[in-house]
Amino acid sequence: MRSLRYPGWALLLAAFASAAAEIIVPSAPGTRDFFVSAHELWYSGWPGSLIKLQIRLERIEPMLWDPILTGVLALPAWLLLGLPGIVLTWMSRPRGFADRRERAEVRKYEEALLLYDDLAREAREQGMDKDGDDMLPDHSGHDALDALELDDDADDDIYSMERAEEMRLEIAKRRGAQGPGPGEREDGGA
């Protein structure tokens, strides 16, 4: 069935080309047809081949040309080429997986995609996620944050210069024998 896919696509491409080629067909004066028949399109593009076909069919059987083929060629060319193209491509479409091995590969891929969800569900079941986000940084070892033990009553003078100087001196005492930090002078000034 896959061998029908390419002729189907070729027929669909020819149908699109014939729909676009309807622009070049000169319309007869006084006619207002919305669609151009396949006979008119063929005759405007390759008149010699259409006449040869008519002569050959009339030699074999005159009824092949006049009632049968002229009736078929009265339809638009895009319809004559497009319908078989749609049918052929529909019949040759892929219908799932060919074998068990491909299904097993897809199953493994789905399991790999869902691995994180399974691990997170197991962690919740074991109670490992009670602390919240375990990826947040821990700032408990920072000197400046440890030194900020503020009282609720001291909210007014938190941002005062005296309070800042006291905090700096307290941090310097905690550092002790480490010496002055980078950018600091020995006398305590910056």
Side-chain angles (χ1 to χ4, degrees), residues 7 9 17 19 41 52 71 76 82 85 88 106 108 120 130 156 163-164 174:
W9 280 105
L41 186 64
K52 286 180 188 175
L88 288 176
V106 169
K108 284 181 187 177
K130 344 177 204 188
D156 296 336
R163 178 76 176 145
R174 286 189 181 183

Side-chain angles (χ1 to χ4, degrees), residues 10 41 47 50-51 54 57-58 78 82-83 85 90 92-93 107 120 123 139 143 157 161 170 172 177 182 184 186:
L41 186 64
L50 181 65
I51 292 172
Q54 179 183 357
L57 287 177
E58 285 180 345
W78 56 263
L83 280 179
W90 180 263
S92 64
R93 74 185 189 281
R107 209 172 295 123
H139 297 290
D143 290 339
D157 62 323
M161 289 301 290
E170 189 176 328
E184 293 181 359
E186 290 270 342

Side-chain angles (χ1 to χ4, degrees), residues 78-161:
W78 56 263
L79 182 69
L80 290 176
L81 297 170
L83 280 179
I86 289 172
V87 168
L88 288 176
T89 54
W90 180 263
M91 287 174 32
S92 64
R93 74 185 189 281
R95 292 189 177 102
F97 300 110
D99 58 358
R100 283 188 221 157
R101 185 182 50 175
E102 289 179 2
R103 282 192 297 256
E105 284 180 30
V106 169
R107 209 172 295 123
K108 284 181 187 177
Y109 183 68
E110 287 175 352
E111 288 173 4
L113 286 175
L114 299 174
L115 177 64
Y116 179 77
D117 294 334
D118 294 338
L119 292 174
R121 182 179 32 79
E122 287 178 17
R124 276 191 304 274
E125 289 172 359
Q126 294 177 6
M128 293 183 174
D129 65 340
K130 344 177 204 188
D131 295 335
D133 191 2
D134 61 345
M135 297 302 289
L136 288 176
D138 183 21
H139 297 290
S140 62
H142 295 250
D143 290 339
L145 294 176
D146 287 342
L148 288 175
E149 297 173 4
L150 302 175
D151 298 333
D152 292 335
D153 299 334
D155 286 338
D156 296 336
D157 62 323
I158 291 176
Y159 299 107
S160 69
M161 289 301 290

Side-chain angles (χ1 to χ4, degrees), residues 6-47:
Y6 298 114
W9 280 105
L11 284 173
L12 284 175
L13 286 173
F16 284 119
S18 66
E22 286 183 357
I23 296 171
I24 63 170
V25 176
S27 59
T31 61
R32 301 199 75 161
D33 294 334
F34 187 69
F35 296 114
V36 176
S37 69
H39 184 273
E40 291 176 31
L41 186 64
W42 193 352
Y43 188 75
S44 65
W46 301 277

